[in-house]
């Protein structure tokens, strides 16, 4: 076919196992299409957003009230970001539950952790950009963490350069540095998924590890998988649009320096009680313990078995940590707001 001769699309019809099309194994692909929606809507928002402390919040109001399709595009960007955060965490949970971080996928697990950090960084910087009370307090935490990092925290400090307010640098992080890093990590992530193939179902992998038959590699094709991912991508877009119409993304009052009256977005809430109990240092050591523990996982849990009943200890620890974090998040949501910032920005 003439088109195929030029674009080589039939090369996408290589075999993948049928279970790759199940919802658990498609969460990474859904996250990817979510990022495509975020990039597209983000480019539109960038036409109207103004990254200076004086004009930032006003330009968000302009997007809401005057820019063509501005309120819809902002809403879809906001809701898709929340959905992607959830699908990335669920994807991590699936990879954990099915033991897919084990040999030979240890490096791809680490690359995945890098992608998780980038995703959190994008949500964080995005929150600051709207420059309302919540965004301003988030920036306050950013600056405090910079202080805790000592000489290594220079980039997070408002004093790094006198020529550009820190908001401008966080904007560059949001639209250039983090998306660029994310794109590089995604390319490596996808290449390794292609090299290793999607992991076999745990029961089949365990049978093979015990000397049984090797798991079948076919059953579906990547083209079918891709179309399914695309379908879910459109679904995310549609759900985000409906959510926008029901519940427009928030824009709080103009910031008042020295006040601390908001709580962070839901993905950061589990750290909030630790900040209440142990102070701002918790912003460093809680994520360090969580990311460190996740990074060590494939090198500690080295048995060839992947089904849950043969990994009871690891599954139990994972469940305790996940339930603990959800519990902390709920506790933070229902407890009174507290002041943590030292300098009060
Ligand atoms: C931006 C976020 C991410 C995207 C877009 C993404 C995308 C993908 C895609 C498309 C796959 C193919 C299979 C699937 O969808 O389940 C995959 C597999 C994988 N991902 Fe991710 N991923 C992301 C984050 C993560 C995170 C946070 C981790 C874990 C720390 C991770 C670890 C893995 C591993 C180990 C595989 C191979 C799984 C297997 O073969 O069963 N990824 N990823």
């Amino acid at each position: 076919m003439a088109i195929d001769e030029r674009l080589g699309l039939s090369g996408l019809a290589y075999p993948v196992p049928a279970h790759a099309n199940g919802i658990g194994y498609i969460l990474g692909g859904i996250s990817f299409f979510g990022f495509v929606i975020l990039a597209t809507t983000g480019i539109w928002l960038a036409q109207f957003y103004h990254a200076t402390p004086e004009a930032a919040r006003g330009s968000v109001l302009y997007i809401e009230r005057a820019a063509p399709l501005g309120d819809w595009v902002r809403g879809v960007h906001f809701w898709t970001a929340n959905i992607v955060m959830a699908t990335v965490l669920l994807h991590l949970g699936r990879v954990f539950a099915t033991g897919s971080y084990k040999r030979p996928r240890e490096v791809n697990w680490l690359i995945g952790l890098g992608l998780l950090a980038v995703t959190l960084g994008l949500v964080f910087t995005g929150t600051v950009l709207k420059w309302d009370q919540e965004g301003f307090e988030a920036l306050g935490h950013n600056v405090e963490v910079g202080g805790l990092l000592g000489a290594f925290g220079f980039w997070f400090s408002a004093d790094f350069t006198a020529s550009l307010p820190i908001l401008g640098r966080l904007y560059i992080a949001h639209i250039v540095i983090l998306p660029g890093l994310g794109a590089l990590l995604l390319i490596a992530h996808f290449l390794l998924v292609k090299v290793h193939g999607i992991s076999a179902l745990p029961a089949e992998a365990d049978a093979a590890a015990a000397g049984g038959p090797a798991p079948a590699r076919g059953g579906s094709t990547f083209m079918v998988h891709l179309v399914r991912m695309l379908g879910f991508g459109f679904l995310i877009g549609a759900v985000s649009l409906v959510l926008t119409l029901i519940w427009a993304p928030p824009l709080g009052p103009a910031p008042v320096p020295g006040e601390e009256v908001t709580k962070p977005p839901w993905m950061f809430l589990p750290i909030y009680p630790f900040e209440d109990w142990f102070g701002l240092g918790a912003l460093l050591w809680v994520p360090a313990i969580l990311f460190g523990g996740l990074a060590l996982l494939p090198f500690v849990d080295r048995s060839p078995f992947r089904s849950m009943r043969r990994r009871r200890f690891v599954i139990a620890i994972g469940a305790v940590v996940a339930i603990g974090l959800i519990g902390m998040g709920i506790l933070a949501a229902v407890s009174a707001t507290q002041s943590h910032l030292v300098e009060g920005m």
Side-chain angles (χ1 to χ4, degrees):
M1 197 167 91
I3 294 178
D4 193 48
E5 186 192 340
R6 285 163 181 89
L7 297 180
L9 292 178
S10 58
L12 294 174
Y14 60 84
V16 300
H19 70 263
N21 293 326
I23 184 75
Y25 285 78
I26 220 165
L27 286 162
I30 298 178
S31 310
F32 172 70
F33 279 103
F35 275 111
V36 174
I37 295 177
L38 288 169
T40 320
T41 49
I43 290 171
W44 188 244
L45 294 175
Q47 309 310 310
F48 312 103
Y49 178 71
H50 200 120
T52 60
E54 300 75 33
R57 187 171 171 282
S59 69
V60 177
L61 278 176
Y62 179 85
I63 289 171
E64 282 286 323
R65 294 173 186 168
L69 296 177
D71 49 351
W72 284 26
V73 175
R74 176 171 181 242
V76 170
H77 194 75
F78 172 84
W79 282 113
T80 302
N82 280 280
I83 294 174
V84 163
M85 192 69 243
T87 56
V88 168
L89 291 174
L90 289 171
H91 171 56
L92 185 154
R94 191 287 286 172
V95 173
F96 174 82
T98 56
S100 303
Y101 51 80
K102 292 191 172 194
R103 187 181 170 187
R105 298 182 176 81
E106 301 95 324
V107 173
N108 218 11
W109 169 260
L110 296 179
I111 293 172
L113 285 181
L115 284 166
L116 177 63
V118 166
T119 311
L120 287 167
L122 283 166
V123 175
F124 179 80
T125 48
T127 305
V128 176
L129 295 188
K130 60 196 166 95
W131 208 248
D132 57 0
Q133 186 65 32
E134 184 193 28
F136 191 70
E137 288 178 22
L139 175 66
H141 285 77
N142 180 92
V143 172
E144 296 280 358
V145 166
L148 293 173
L149 287 169
F152 296 105
F154 66 92
W155 191 85
F156 296 95
S157 150
D159 309 324
F160 174 68
T161 162
S163 65
L164 182 67
I166 190 168
L167 174 63
R169 284 192 291 118
L170 288 181
Y171 182 50
I172 293 171
H174 190 75
I175 66 166
V176 179
I177 304 173
L178 290 168
L181 191 61
L184 290 178
L185 288 170
L186 270 182
I187 291 169
H189 202 57
F190 290 165
L191 279 177
L192 283 180
V193 172
K194 175 79 174 75
V195 167
H196 296 135
I198 206 72
S199 61
L201 288 172
E204 291 176 11
D206 284 8
R217 286 184 75 90
S220 181
T221 67
F222 182 68
M223 199 53 159
V224 172
H225 186 62
L226 196 64
V227 169
R228 242 176 104 73
M229 284 197 261
L230 195 63
F232 275 109
F234 279 116
L235 188 63
I236 292 184
V239 170
S240 297
L241 191 56
V242 171
L243 282 168
T244 303
L245 297 176
I246 301 173
W247 194 358
L251 180 65
V256 179
E259 264 192 9
E260 203 179 339
V261 290
T262 67
K263 290 180 188 170
W266 63 268
M267 60 297 283
F268 299 111
L269 268 185
I271 308 180
Y272 195 82
F274 292 100
E275 217 187 327
D276 287 348
W277 300 328
F278 303 105
L280 280 162
L283 293 180
L284 278 183
W285 59 259
V286 174
I289 291 175
L290 290 173
F291 269 86
L294 286 169
L296 285 177
L297 180 66
F299 308 101
V300 176
D301 179 23
R302 292 165 61 93
S303 83
F305 298 112
R306 295 194 18 229
S307 57
M308 288 204 198
R309 61 185 183 84
R310 303 191 81 149
R311 297 164 50 233
R312 287 206 170 105
F313 183 62
V314 173
I315 293 291
I317 293 183
V320 167
V321 172
I323 292 169
L325 287 175
I326 293 171
M328 287 297 162
I330 294 172
L331 178 66
V334 297
S335 61
T337 314
Q338 294 211 20
S339 258
H340 307 110
L341 295 176
V342 181
E343 292 169 12
M345 281 297 290

